[in-house]
Amino acid sequence: MTELEQLVGSARADFAAAPNPAELENAKARYLGKAGRVTELLKALASLPPDEKKAQGALINQAKQQVEVLLTERRESLAGAELERQLQAEALDVTLPGRRRGTGGLHPVSRTMERIEAIFGSMGFEVADGPEIETDWYSFTALNNPENHPARSMQDTFYVDLKDAEGRWLNLRPHTSPMQVRYARTHAARHAGLIAAGQAMPDIRVIAPGRTYRVDSDATHSPMFHQCEGLWIGENVSFKDLKSVFTDFLRQFFDTDDLQVRFRPSFFPFTEPSAEVDLAFGDGPLKGKWLEVAGSGQVHPNVVRNFGLDPERYIGFAFGMGPDRLAMLRYGVTDLRLFFENDLRFLSQFR
Ligand code: DAH
């Protein structure tokens, strides 16, 4: 093999070994650059006698052209590979379906509220709404919970140093129970004529769902949470009715008859007797476990009096339950905070 053939072979190998355009240009310099091997050979021609110069010059130029062709080929193949890589990286599958604007959905707690309203609605209960900024009288005093009484701490609220225009202390309602008093007073006023004439007024039958506030925060308590109050007052409404209404509600809510309800004696200032309502599923992951879902009781005569009604004539029951808790049980959610963090990965599961 001649020296020139060797040179072309070594250029071919060097170019092939260059992994990218930059290295290829370095390799090119080693052959065709100012101090490159081909250039050196051409410079050396000057010292040859004229006849040899011509023949040798032609051979070197031939080799130079071969090296140039090799260089061009490698340049093209590297550029082709780079283009291929880019196309792969930016691949666009035009056959994929387009991205749509997501559809919204109801929050699981809103869904639960609607479900509660529908069930109680079917049992003849009205749905009432009331203020979240409440006066001290409605939140506590009217509910037989006198000023400075320790039982007030049962529904410990965020106290604010604020009075309304009439000088009444304000608070963020710690429960929906004030709605009992607001609704019953309105009802009594609406039927004042009947009442004054000594005739029976229609029963009060209402639920009041809404937001409530307490100084509480952990996996099962949030400073803002929901409650749903219930109230049924008439001339002959008893604890028996409370039991059947609430049991019926829970069975409809959880879509099963395979569930037990227990009324456990308790204390609330606004009811006498009072009970906590517990339920136990007959099946599923929580099978047989007693879970507290509401407070309840027969409305205290003092509260009936604050309704503007005669406790000798009107009697009934009330309850207050936690829709957040019911939503957790229905959907198997173990941390209440998930409901209020507004993470779409969580919320979109309820769409
Ligand atoms: N308001 C009570 C609470 O927040 C719950 C409650 C208990 C409501 C008994 C009632 C009731 O209406 O009769 O803990």
Side-chain angles (χ1 to χ4, degrees), residues 155 174-175 177 180 214 227 229-230 268 270-271 295-297 318-320:
Q155 289 90 26
H175 52 179
S177 301
Q180 287 183 26
R214 286 192 203 173
Q227 276 200 347
E229 197 74 9
F268 295 102
F270 26 94
T271 41
S296 68
F319 56 82

Side-chain angles (χ1 to χ4, degrees), residues 157-206:
T157 183
F158 293 100
Y159 284 96
V160 282
D161 233 354
L162 212 66
K163 291 183 181 179
D164 68 6
E166 280 134 75
R168 298 175 301 189
W169 286 107
L170 294 173
N171 55 43
L172 285 173
R173 65 177 180 187
H175 52 179
T176 44
S177 301
M179 274 308 292
Q180 287 183 26
V181 188
R182 285 186 178 274
Y183 186 89
R185 286 171 75 86
T186 308
H187 185 93
R190 193 185 304 143
H191 299 291
L194 285 179
I195 294 169
Q199 287 172 349
M201 62 161 200
D203 285 3
I204 295 170
R205 220 185 280 138
V206 68

